[in-house]
């Protein structure tokens, strides 16, 4: 209690109130631009924090992190390209909502869900970090593999009209993830002697190509004049979330927040996986799964509460064990060290007051996110009113710049176009893009941990079944696939009975019209 | 008229000489300097390099930025350095294994002759650790006893083959004559985490990653590869394997370097800049908080260490391959 009070005292710094809005706005901007992530925002700001009080400095960087994780949803909703990989699952329903003229509503729900997820996560960090850290230590290679399989089970949910196309997509994704140096044996795979391919393909590069570039290609074949008529721009701003919709979103937000906290606290995972799992769970347990993927506000709530729910929780292993949960926390860890705090088991003992000040600061950051987001939404909801010709050029420029800045490499710019063309062809052949993304995200997690687990068990597969957490994930994964498949068949049969038409895929984020 | 012409001509001459001077004697550096970082954001060398870079305006008169070019076991970054112009505006944070180990596993387009180490950065002190509560191993003797009794030891490394920690810990087990298998992880923190979680029996790490765990009794140090042993604050002396009768040694090191073709005077300016940073009391306090010391070794010292390391590694690689 004493350190807690001294934490409040440390936080009583007027500069805090100045840096939080600054950090949030910067985070939202870098998060919203595909290719620029909150990682970049944090890196750019670290030198500015050298002279600051450590608490103020870290709170500023946290504001960028939180703002960035939310900001990525803006482009996911408006232009079908997640600004960061954490917002990938927001595409499913966010973009269809924009197409239905409900972009303002989708953006508001993203903000609402992000704020709640982030706040709960910050409280969990404040009150339960050391206890949760002990549980995450139980995660060995077998558990990570089962978790990755659980994540991959989403494929069944997002491609239920054609599971084979979904699996082919996932295989393409896994193949992409194997390019570069193999982490276990150190050998080069699929690089064909090309030095640039040794680095592998960055997730964000694949993402920009798959979603943004292919979207521009898809849209380019339509006559923009007729396309624009489909959305009545005057209605965009007016559509507020109704009380009934808020009520409906309670459950998805609760699921999302819980999933976000659990996944976030598990090192080596992150907001993207949390978004997918939360979306899948919400859809599976919903009484109306058929509306998901067509502009269901619950889908946006599920994904966005999860990725921001992961924000505070990713700090748990970082602060308590010194193990960063994702890229952003790895950079934050560097920032902690620059400010004289070495994350690890002794941090709570040695610098408890600063730490509590930072954790309380994170709560304020999440509250401020709500107010700042509210003010900004009206501005960016108008993006859909911009003529497509102009928007496409701007997106293309931002994506190219974003891709280049990822590694300061022109090759990444080439890659986004390769992925763009591949994705365009896949979409023309009715393939979903999400399984490809899942393959790229979860492929490496599954592969390396599968191999590690087998080394540990001397080649025996029983390791995945004898460890309780691993077994539990596997059971849930199988149940999830079975339930989904049966449900998919039933829904199809029902729709056929009703009107004789073949249903549209439950998730057609990869489809244009 | 003649007078006017003379004045005009002399003015022209003066202007000309001023311009000429401006062009030839533009002081170095006159623009931003970049440090290429072959490893990830937030890691040890990255954290130190970024701190060094923050003094750019103060001691070099120009901003210094750190650019991470990860992947390919450091070869992507080395390739970027080789392609950079010879003007001294591109530095690299390099290490020993990029020359002594990586070429044995990956085809590379550089040799030690292509670079000039300017000044050292830090010594990497690898320590072998155990988790006594999960494996019952507290000391090197107990490890040997466990291995000889038929226990199949699993050890966590901070990377795969071609990685320095992987090589050294594998060599140690070879020398001990114990049957053991490597489980490569993604980095030092992951490896220690696997050890703390009881997923592996032994792991390799460098401070500050393991320090707190040893202090609170969760992990035990079995020895270090630094031949003379090391003194760690709060832990005390960690003996070397050499001192314990096992002939393995390794001194990891990071240092700042430029391309060999960079003009000597520019190399000197960059070296002085890093030296000035090391002398800054605020920087020293920062290093102390990380439990490290800046290693201000000279070019010759660094090159000698790399050459010795390359010879040793040849021998070690043959042993474990």
């Amino acid at each position: 209690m004493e350190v807690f009070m001294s934490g409040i005292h440390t936080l009583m710094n007027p500069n805090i109130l100045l840096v939080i809005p600054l950090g949030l706005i910067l985070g939202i901007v870098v998060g919203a631009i595909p290719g620029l992530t909150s990682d970049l925002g944090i890196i750019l700001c670290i030198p500015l924090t050298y002279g600051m009080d450590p608490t103020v400095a870290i709170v500023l960087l946290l504001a960028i992190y939180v703002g960035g994780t939310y900001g990525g949803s803006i482009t996911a909703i408006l232009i079908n390209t997640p600004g960061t990989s954490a917002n990938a699952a927001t595409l499913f329903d966010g973009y269809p909502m924009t197409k239905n003229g409900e972009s303002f509503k989708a953006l508001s729900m993203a903000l609402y869900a992000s704020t709640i997820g982030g706040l709960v996560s910050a409280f969990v960090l404040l009150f339960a970090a050391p206890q949760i850290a002990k549980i995450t230590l139980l995660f060995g290679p077998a558990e990570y593999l089962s978790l990755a399989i659980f994540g991959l089970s989403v494929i069944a949910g997002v491609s239920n009209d054609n599971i084979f196309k979904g699996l082919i997509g996932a295989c393409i994704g896994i193949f992409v993830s194997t390019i570069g140096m193999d982490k276990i044996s150190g050998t080069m795979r699929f690089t064909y002697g090309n030095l640039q391919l040794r680095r592998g393909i960055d997730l964000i590069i694949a993402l920009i190509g798959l979603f943004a570039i292919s979207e521009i290609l898809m849209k380019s074949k339509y006559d923009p004049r007729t396309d624009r008529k489909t959305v009545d721009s005057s209605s965009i701003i007016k559509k507020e979330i109704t009380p009934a919709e808020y009520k409906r979103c309670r459950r998805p937000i609760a699921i999302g927040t819980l999933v976000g906290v659990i996944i976030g606290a598990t090192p080596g995972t992150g907001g993207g996986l949390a978004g997918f799992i939360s979306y899948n769970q919400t859809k599976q347990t919903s009484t109306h799964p058929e509306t998901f993927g067509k502009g269901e506000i619950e889908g946006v709530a599920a994904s966005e509460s999860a990725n921001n729910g992961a924000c505070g929780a990713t700090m748990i292993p970082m602060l308590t064990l010194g193990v960063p949960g994702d890229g952003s926390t790895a950079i934050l860890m560097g920032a902690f060290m620059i400010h004289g705090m070495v994350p690890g088991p002794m941090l709570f003992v040695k610098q408890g007051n600063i730490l509590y000040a930072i954790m309380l600061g994170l709560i304020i950051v999440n509250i401020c996110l709500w107010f700042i987001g509210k003010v900004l939404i009206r501005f960016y909801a108008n993006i859909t009113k911009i003529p497509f010709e102009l928007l496409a050029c701007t997106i293309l420029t931002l994506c190219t710049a974003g891709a280049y800045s990822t590694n300061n490499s022109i090759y990444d710019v080439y890659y986004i176009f390769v992925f763009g063309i591949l994705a365009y062809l896949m979409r023309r052949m009715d393939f979903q893009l999400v399984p490809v993304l899942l393959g790229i995200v979860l492929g490496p997690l599954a592969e390396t941990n599968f191999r590690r687990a087998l080394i540990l068990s001397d080649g025996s597969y029983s390791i995945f079944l004898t460890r309780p957490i691993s077994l539990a994930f596997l059971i849930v994964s199988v149940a999830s696939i079975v339930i989904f498949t049966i449900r998919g068949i039933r829904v199809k049969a029902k729709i056929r009975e009703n009107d004789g038409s073949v249903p549209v895929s439950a998730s057609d984020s990869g489809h244009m019209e | 008229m003649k007078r006017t012409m003379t004045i005009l001509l002399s003015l022209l001459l003066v202007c000309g000489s001023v311009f000429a001077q401006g062009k030839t004697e533009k002081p170095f550096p006159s623009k931003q300097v970049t440090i290429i970082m072959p490893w990830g954001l937030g890691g040890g060398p990255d954290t130190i390099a970024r701190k060094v870079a923050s003094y750019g305006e103060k001691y070099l008169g120009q901003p210094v930025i750190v650019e991470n070019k990860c992947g390919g076991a450091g070869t992507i970054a080395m390739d970027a350095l080789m392609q950079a112009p010879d003007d001294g505006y591109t530095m690299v944070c390099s290490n020993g294994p990029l020359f002594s180990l990586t070429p044995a596993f990956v085809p590379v387009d550089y040799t030690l002759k292509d670079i000039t180490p300017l000044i050292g950065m830090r010594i990497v002190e690898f320590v072998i650790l155990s988790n006594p509560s999960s494996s019952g191993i507290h000391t090197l003797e107990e490890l040997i006893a466990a291995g000889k009794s038929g226990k199949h030891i699993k050890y966590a490394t901070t990377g795969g083959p071609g990685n320095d920690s992987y090589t050294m810990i594998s060599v140690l087990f070879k020398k001990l004559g114990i049957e053991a298998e490597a489980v490569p992880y993604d980095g030092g923190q992951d490896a220690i985490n696997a050890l703390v979680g009881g997923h592996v029996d032994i792991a390799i790490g460098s401070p500050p990653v393991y320090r707190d765990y040893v202090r609170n009794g969760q992990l035990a140090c079995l020895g270090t590869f630094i031949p003379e042993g090391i003194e760690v604050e709060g832990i005390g002396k960690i003996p070397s394997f050499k001192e314990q009768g096992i002939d393995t040694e390794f001194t990891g090191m990071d240092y700042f370097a430029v391309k060999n073709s960079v003009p000597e005077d520019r190399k000197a300016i960059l070296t002085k800049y890093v030296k000035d940073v090391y002398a800054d009391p605020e920087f020293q306090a920062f290093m102390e908080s990380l439990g490290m010391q800046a290693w201000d070794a000279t070019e010759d010292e660094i090159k000698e260490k790399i050459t010795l390391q390359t010879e040793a590694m040849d021998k070690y690689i043959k042993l474990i391959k």
Side-chain angles (χ1 to χ4, degrees):
Chain A
M1 200 61 207
E2 207 174 290
V3 278
F4 192 83
M5 292 314 289
S6 105
I8 294 177
H9 185 75
T10 313
L11 197 63
M12 297 286 175
N13 185 329
N15 288 336
I16 292 268
L17 296 174
L18 198 76
V19 297
I20 289 177
L22 196 80
L24 281 171
I25 293 172
L26 183 73
I28 292 172
V29 171
V30 291
I33 299 173
L36 303 187
T37 53
S38 45
D39 298 11
L40 184 78
I42 298 171
I43 280 292
L44 288 177
C45 272
I46 285 180
L48 299 179
T49 68
Y50 288 142
M52 291 182 186
D53 171 79
T55 317
V56 178
I58 301 290
V59 170
L60 167 69
L61 301 178
L62 284 177
I64 299 172
Y65 181 34
V66 170
T69 310
Y70 156 71
S73 70
I74 299 166
T75 25
I77 291 167
L78 295 177
I79 61 168
N80 198 25
T81 304
T84 73
S85 56
N87 311 89
T90 311
L91 288 175
F92 298 150
D93 285 289
Y95 188 61
M97 281 183 80
T98 293
K99 285 201 286 182
N100 299 341
E102 296 180 320
S103 56
F104 180 74
K105 201 186 260 189
L107 289 166
S108 304
M109 182 44 76
L111 176 63
Y112 179 69
S114 293
T115 309
I116 295 185
L119 259 182
V120 173
S121 190
F123 274 107
V124 172
L125 173 67
L126 182 62
F127 294 112
Q131 290 79 0
I132 289 178
K134 275 181 202 145
I135 299 168
T136 62
L137 274 181
L138 297 174
F139 271 71
E143 286 76 13
Y144 276 112
L145 172 79
S146 305
L147 180 66
I149 289 175
F150 183 44
L152 284 167
S153 72
V154 178
I155 293 170
V158 294
S159 53
N160 55 358
D161 61 338
N162 196 335
I163 185 86
F164 292 106
K165 281 188 174 172
L167 289 174
I168 291 171
C171 290
I172 294 175
I174 292 172
F175 167 70
V176 169
S177 76
T178 58
I179 296 172
M181 195 164 120
D182 169 28
K183 281 181 185 166
I184 305 276
S185 70
T187 47
M188 297 295 166
R189 301 191 293 190
F190 306 114
T191 57
Y192 308 104
N194 183 331
L195 182 72
Q196 293 303 324
L197 282 173
R198 283 181 190 170
R199 188 161 36 87
I201 308 279
D202 276 280
L203 172 62
I204 192 74
I205 297 299
L207 216 108
I208 293 173
L210 286 174
F211 292 94
I213 305 294
S214 78
E215 182 69 28
I216 292 170
L217 289 175
M218 287 300 278
K219 269 204 165 172
S220 301
K221 78 183 167 126
Y222 297 99
D223 182 352
R225 279 160 298 185
T226 52
D227 193 43
R228 217 176 301 153
K229 281 180 202 152
T230 56
V231 177
D232 175 13
S233 52
S234 61
S235 69
I236 292 169
I237 299 295
K238 288 175 193 156
K239 284 189 183 168
E240 296 272 356
I241 306 172
T242 61
E245 281 169 330
Y246 271 120
K247 208 174 161 191
R248 267 205 296 147
C249 286
R250 266 191 220 157
R251 201 181 55 93
I253 291 176
I255 295 177
T257 306
L258 182 72
V259 169
V261 169
I262 295 171
I263 301 290
T266 314
T269 53
L273 177 65
F276 282 124
I277 290 182
S278 158
Y279 182 84
N280 203 34
Q281 290 309 303
T282 306
K283 186 179 168 188
Q284 264 181 34
T285 49
S286 166
T287 49
H288 47 87
E290 69 283 355
T291 60
F292 279 73
K294 294 175 187 165
E296 173 58 65
I297 195 162
E298 290 179 35
V300 175
S303 155
E304 278 303 308
S305 55
N307 62 35
N308 274 70
C311 260
T314 41
M315 308 260 296
I316 294 173
M318 189 266 267
L319 291 177
T320 53
L321 308 172
V323 182
D326 61 6
S328 297
T329 36
I331 302 164
L332 280 172
M333 193 162 133
F336 267 82
M337 287 159 115
I338 284 171
H339 286 281
M341 289 175 276
V342 181
M346 300 299 277
L347 186 62
F348 278 81
V349 184
K350 284 194 296 197
Q351 279 148 319
N353 61 333
I354 299 182
L355 202 58
Y356 277 103
I358 289 165
M359 293 193 285
L360 290 166
L362 186 62
I363 293 171
I364 303 176
V365 164
N366 278 291
I367 296 169
C368 289
L369 174 69
W370 167 253
F371 292 102
I372 286 173
K374 264 286 180 210
V375 176
L376 293 177
I377 279 180
R378 283 176 197 279
F379 291 108
Y380 39 68
N382 288 321
I383 288 176
T384 41
K385 289 186 195 167
I386 300 171
F388 174 71
E389 303 91 312
L390 269 180
L391 198 60
C393 297
T394 318
I395 296 169
L396 206 58
T397 313
L398 288 176
C399 288
T400 313
Y404 182 78
S405 74
T406 309
N407 289 301
N408 305 304
S409 163
I410 191 71
Y411 289 89
D412 285 332
V413 178
Y414 303 151
Y415 299 154
I416 62 170
F417 291 105
V418 172
F419 278 100
I421 293 165
L422 172 80
Y424 173 75
L425 295 175
M426 289 179 74
R427 285 166 75 168
R428 291 297 298 269
M429 290 187 281
D430 274 341
F431 273 90
Q432 309 291 329
L433 295 181
V434 176
V436 183
L437 178 59
L438 279 168
I440 303 177
V441 176
L442 298 174
L445 187 70
E447 192 207 341
T448 44
N449 283 298
F450 177 66
R451 289 161 70 184
R452 273 179 203 146
L454 288 185
I455 297 175
L456 288 175
S457 68
D458 293 318
S460 163
Y461 292 96
S462 63
I463 187 169
F464 303 112
L465 303 173
T466 49
R467 296 182 62 97
I469 300 177
S470 165
L471 181 67
F473 274 124
L474 287 179
I475 291 172
V476 180
S477 310
V478 172
S480 150
I481 294 168
V482 170
I483 293 170
F484 238 109
T485 313
I486 294 172
R487 254 194 141 149
I489 295 166
R490 275 196 194 150
V491 169
K492 268 188 200 173
K494 213 177 183 180
I495 295 172
R496 275 209 189 91
E497 265 171 35
N498 290 346
D499 58 15
S501 64
V502 181
V504 191
S505 154
S507 154
D508 67 349
S509 67
H511 293 282
M512 250 314 296
E513 305 295 350
Chain B
M1 190 64 196
K2 207 175 171 187
R3 200 185 144 90
T4 326
M5 278 301 281
T6 319
I7 294 172
L8 267 175
L9 261 176
S10 20
L11 263 175
L12 256 174
L13 270 173
V14 169
C15 285
S17 65
V18 166
F19 272 108
Q21 210 172 20
K23 193 144 196 180
T24 51
E25 287 182 28
K26 207 174 183 184
F28 173 84
S30 58
K31 58 173 188 180
Q32 169 188 293
V33 173
T34 303
I35 301 175
I36 300 177
M37 174 59 57
W39 306 287
L41 289 162
D46 183 69
T47 308
I48 299 172
R50 280 178 193 281
K51 187 74 180 175
V52 170
S54 73
Y55 293 91
E57 298 271 12
K58 189 171 175 186
Y59 291 118
L60 196 60
Q62 289 294 335
V64 177
I65 59 153
V66 178
E67 217 172 70
N68 300 73
K69 286 197 182 286
C70 317
T75 53
I76 303 282
M78 289 308 287
D79 187 54
L81 178 78
M82 288 302 124
Q83 284 173 11
D86 303 332
D87 54 11
Y89 286 100
T90 312
M91 294 164 75
V92 73
C93 172
S94 187
N95 70 2
L98 274 170
F99 299 91
S100 63
L101 252 184
T102 314
F105 295 88
V106 183
V108 298
D109 298 326
Y110 59 81
T111 65
L112 191 53
K113 287 194 182 110
D114 295 324
I115 65 150
T116 303
L118 297 178
I119 183 166
M121 183 202 238
R122 64 161 189 173
I123 290 278
V124 185
E125 298 160 331
F126 284 133
V127 168
I128 300 295
L129 302 130
S130 70
N131 181 342
S133 62
S134 70
S135 64
I137 298 165
H138 298 78
T139 60
L140 191 61
E141 288 78 47
E142 285 179 6
L143 171 67
I144 297 168
K148 301 271 184 212
S149 72
K151 182 177 163 69
H152 197 179
I153 307 275
K154 301 283 163 35
Y155 58 90
T157 68
T158 67
N163 165 288
D164 48 2
S165 83
Y166 177 96
T167 308
M168 288 322 297
I169 189 168
S170 304
V171 163
L172 177 73
F173 280 104
K174 275 275 176 225
K175 294 248 173 175
L176 292 176
I178 293 177
E179 184 141 340
E181 198 161 2
V183 188
Y185 280 84
D186 292 342
Q189 271 130 3
D190 281 356
I192 293 296
N193 199 24
L195 183 66
V196 176
H199 305 290
V200 290
D201 307 302
I202 299 291
I204 185 164
S206 56
V209 181
Y210 64 80
R211 199 172 51 176
D212 287 348
Y213 289 107
V214 176
R215 279 188 201 162
N216 67 16
Q218 271 177 286
L219 300 181
C221 297
L222 307 188
T224 172
F225 291 100
I226 305 285
E228 57 274 17
I230 52 170
E231 192 75 38
V232 180
E233 188 215 333
I235 296 175
K237 166 103 197 261
I238 302 173
S240 72
F241 291 113
K242 219 169 182 182
E243 288 169 334
Q244 297 180 77
I246 299 136
D247 181 26
T248 50
E249 60 174 280
F250 179 84
T251 308
M253 72 206 116
D254 298 323
Y255 52 88
F256 291 104
V258 287
K259 268 169 96 172
N260 196 22
S261 44
V262 170
E264 292 303 321
D265 55 333
R266 297 191 174 194
K267 286 178 189 167
I269 291 170
L270 293 172
T271 309
K272 184 176 181 303
Y273 151 62
V274 184
K275 263 195 178 153
D276 288 345
V277 174
Y278 287 176
D280 193 297
E282 195 211 36
F283 181 81
Q284 285 169 358
F286 164 76
M287 289 299 277
E288 203 171 310
S289 73
L290 297 183
M292 275 187 269
Q293 261 187 330
W295 180 55
D296 62 348
T298 60
E299 178 189 345
D300 293 339
E301 281 176 80
I302 298 166
K303 280 203 160 167
E304 195 197 322
K305 268 204 190 304
I306 298 173
T307 312
L308 287 175
Q309 198 182 70
T310 310
E311 285 162 15
M313 282 297 164
D314 268 351
K315 195 164 69 191
Y316 292 151
I317 292 164
K318 279 185 196 127
L319 194 69
I320 60 169
K321 242 186 175 176

